[in-house]
Amino acid sequence: MGHPELAEKFIANNERMHWHDKALWFVREKRDLAAHGLNEWESLREVAKQIKTHTIDKLDFYLEEFEKNAKEKGLHVHWAKDAKEHNEIVLKLLLNRGSKKLVKSKSMLTEECHLNPYLEENGIEVIDTDLGERIVQLRNEAPSHIVLPAIHLKKEEVGKTFEKFLKTEKDNCDPTYLTRAARVHLREKFLNADASLTGVNFGIAETGGVVVCTNEGNADLGSSLPKLHIASMGIEKIIPRLKDLSIFTRLLARSATGQPITSYTSHFHAPVEGGELHIIIVDNGRSDIIANDDFKQSLHCIRCGACINTCPVYRRSGGHSYGYTIPGPIGSTLGASKDLRTNKTLPFACTLCASCSNVCPSKINIHNQLYKHRQSVVSAGLLGAKKHTILKVATWVMKHPALLDFGGKMARKIVPKLPRSILYSKVNVWGKKRELPKFPKNSFKELYKQREEKK
Amino acid sequence: MSSRETILNNIKKNVPSSTIDLPETNIPHTIYENKDEKFTTSLASVGGNAVWLKDESIDEFVAKNYKDFEVIVSTCKDYTCSTKEANKPNTPHPLENVDLAVITAEFAVAENGAVWVKNPDNRHRALYFLATQLLIIIPKENIVDTMHEAYERIEFDKSGYGTFISGPSKTADIEQSLVIGAHGPTDACVLFV
Amino acid sequence: MRIGLFIPCFMNELYPEASMATLKVLENLGLHVEYPTNQTCCGQPMANTGCAHEAGELAKRFLKIFKDYDYVVAPSGSCVAMVRENYAQFLEGEDGFEHLKTHTYELVEFLHDVIKPTNMNASFPHKVGIHNSCHGHRELGMASMSERNLPAFSKIEKILGLVDNIEFVTLKRNDECCGFGGTFCVSEDAMSAAMGIDRINDHLSAGAEVMTGIDMSCLMHMQGIIDRDKLPIKTLHIAQILAGES
């Protein structure tokens, strides 16, 4: 099923659709307050864009610099060309240390690599420790948002899930109560874990360290208790200098939730005492995107989710309607770059309203990318023969004005006389929820010509 | 070919020669007339609170404000009433029951209520997250406007771990309802001395 | 000054009144306007569906017809955005393209930026909500966007403000998309309608009697919903208000 069908299902529950839309709009409004509260907001975005553009253009250099500096600090660096290799490296690191219990903090990269099922098949207990991620993990669902993984769920649903798995009180769905229950449940998991895995928000080439941002403190708690810390990082997370963080830390949380900064912005340049810190640098299709000028800016993404919150389509269709790891505008372009055939409806799940590009803290031209991906869909023959033929015929007519005039004239004569049953038959998709415009007697051109003749 | 080479070669093949230099990061930015006041409101907005110590010692402050706290550990030399030694255990796990951690931070950031915590003498970074409550001690002159000034004060030549802490841990993952106290501390007080 | 009038293909066929109002607004200001009658479509529907080849053919046709005018004016933000933002892919380097690109204006934008009228000789004693159509809003920059931290302005409100007795309502979401989106309105018809209803409801709760805007396509979509659901509001192209019609 493509996006239109999945979106239609979500929309069918009008109350829930509006509840979802309002929740996301609320986040967007908080972001606006934060963004409008800083005079230098637009300059920060511009500088962020310049840093990212520069870095992606010299990514090979900065990756090597990162590796060199990380190794000098005693960190271990691994390279994974794809998801499979990434997962194998993680498993090997765990097995080498005899680790069986892994606590994970949020990492969209490991979602992209489908790490959890792979590790579970190999006998590892994997616990997602971000509250939202834990909720969806218990429900055996995918996150529906990159920052707010359980935004599609109502507190009653979370309550039911916790009732079943954490033995919380029946029908108690108070968010504070449920969060406390999760705290107790996960504290035990943290203390008993023998390995941790985190994502990476930024990898600093200059210092060879990684930065992880969370509000819950789960990445820090997880990585500071067991001896083994694995950090999975996409190649595009590299920034050249430590001070570049002054730009990105000012943009990230404000764009994400409207907070001035995340509760924790942690810089890892060493393992815990007697421990090991392993950084896995993952490509998984990213280096191919660099080749394409139309889409390379998608690698500037800092995963704040602002484009998702602002997207009028996402707000009304939910994250699961996209069927790709990262939903919403940025996910639609990344998904189309990764696998056009599977994600062919995503570039069209968009009205090209351009709110995403203007909300983006690193000024990614997201809507232009979705526009361009549509051309890739057509070139690959994935548009659908019927749609393509209609547009080809329409173009042919548009090249013959006399024919268009004649067709228009006939339509204005015939359509008003047609009975509703025919006019609003199944073929008329427009007419499912909308009336057709009232057909006038004359076209503008006819009126214009009459007027010119009278002159 | 190793994956490392495969990835780097693929990037090298694709990347055009760069035309954009790295920009200056210290752009013209907001300066706060009253940094203390801004820090206080920023920290309050993220669920924390700031206090300026007056005519009393840290010991007295803790005794007064954290009355029934059983397990108190400290990484701050000026606090002398710890009930447990933070660096004593060989793993951080025994710190699990800490009620209050009195810790030091290098400086505070007015724009976002964050403080920079990087203490090479503290053995277990887990302390900052295991403790139920945090009391963070900072010299009162160490307060900067924004992250631009903050990153000028940071380096990683010696100690390997540092974190900006902005208020207590929190989450809004259930229906966007803000709950203070997720996995880490449920309360964070910044004490300027 | 030779002005070439571009009327979007569907407006020509379905909205002769709004099209004629556009002509009238310009002529009332003493401008000489020509309407080349061999014009058809700018190619936007094809381009937005990814049919680059077809869009390119129509772009070339558009250039041929309009390149010799001093200005091209159209009562549609999205068609103008097509010329300005998306034609380059098909026409870069072609004779006359640079001129066409920089001299094609949406009607209100043309009035605001080039003609700068101080009076419209029109009255519209109604409560009006402005629907900021996305392409005009974010591609052409007709007004400040809620996403950006830049000084607030609205070319639309400024020009409409020249009409006597008009009253503007304040919307909850100033620049939310209405869900028309070109072929999106049929390829994602459920989503399109849902967005349209929400957009209309924002205007209704703000007390608007009339929704206006610079893009007839958005208005056509929402009028379709208004007619189906029999809602107490109507849409009117901005040219009709500026021309003193109601």
Side-chain angles (χ1 to χ4, degrees), chain A residues 242-257:
Chain A
L242 179 62
K243 66 176 180 183
D244 293 328
L245 286 168
S246 65
I247 301 294
F248 292 110
T249 54
R250 299 193 78 196
L251 287 166
L252 179 62
R254 287 185 173 95
S255 296
T257 59

Side-chain angles (χ1 to χ4, degrees), chain A residues 40 54 57 60 67 85 129 132 155 180 183 215-216 220 241 250 254 263 266-267 269-270 273 287-288, chain B residues 3-4 10 14-15 20 23 30 111 123 125 148 151 160-163 166 170-171 173 175 181-184:
Chain A
E40 59 268 33
H54 171 93
D57 277 350
D60 51 332
E67 180 189 41
E85 192 175 10
T129 59
K155 59 185 180 200
R180 292 281 178 267
R183 180 185 166 99
N215 277 327
E216 298 181 6
D220 292 279
R241 306 164 295 188
R250 299 193 78 196
R254 287 185 173 95
S263 300
S266 301
H267 304 57
H269 289 75
E273 191 183 289
S287 61
D288 290 332
Chain B
S3 290
R4 181 183 184 279
N10 205 28
N14 294 330
V15 172
I20 293 185
T30 313
E111 72 160 321
R123 236 179 124 184
R125 55 181 84 147
H148 298 291
Y151 273 100
Y161 174 82
T163 182
S166 169
K170 50 188 131 346
T171 183
D173 274 351
E175 275 202 16
H183 300 301

Side-chain angles (χ1 to χ4, degrees), chain C residues 7 18 41 55 60 63 74 97 99 116 122 127 136 169 175 194 198 210:
Chain C
I7 297 291
C41 171
K60 286 190 186 90
L63 175 66
F97 172 59
H99 173 81
K116 304 181 168 99
K127 284 187 172 175
V169 301
D175 48 11
D198 287 352
V210 173

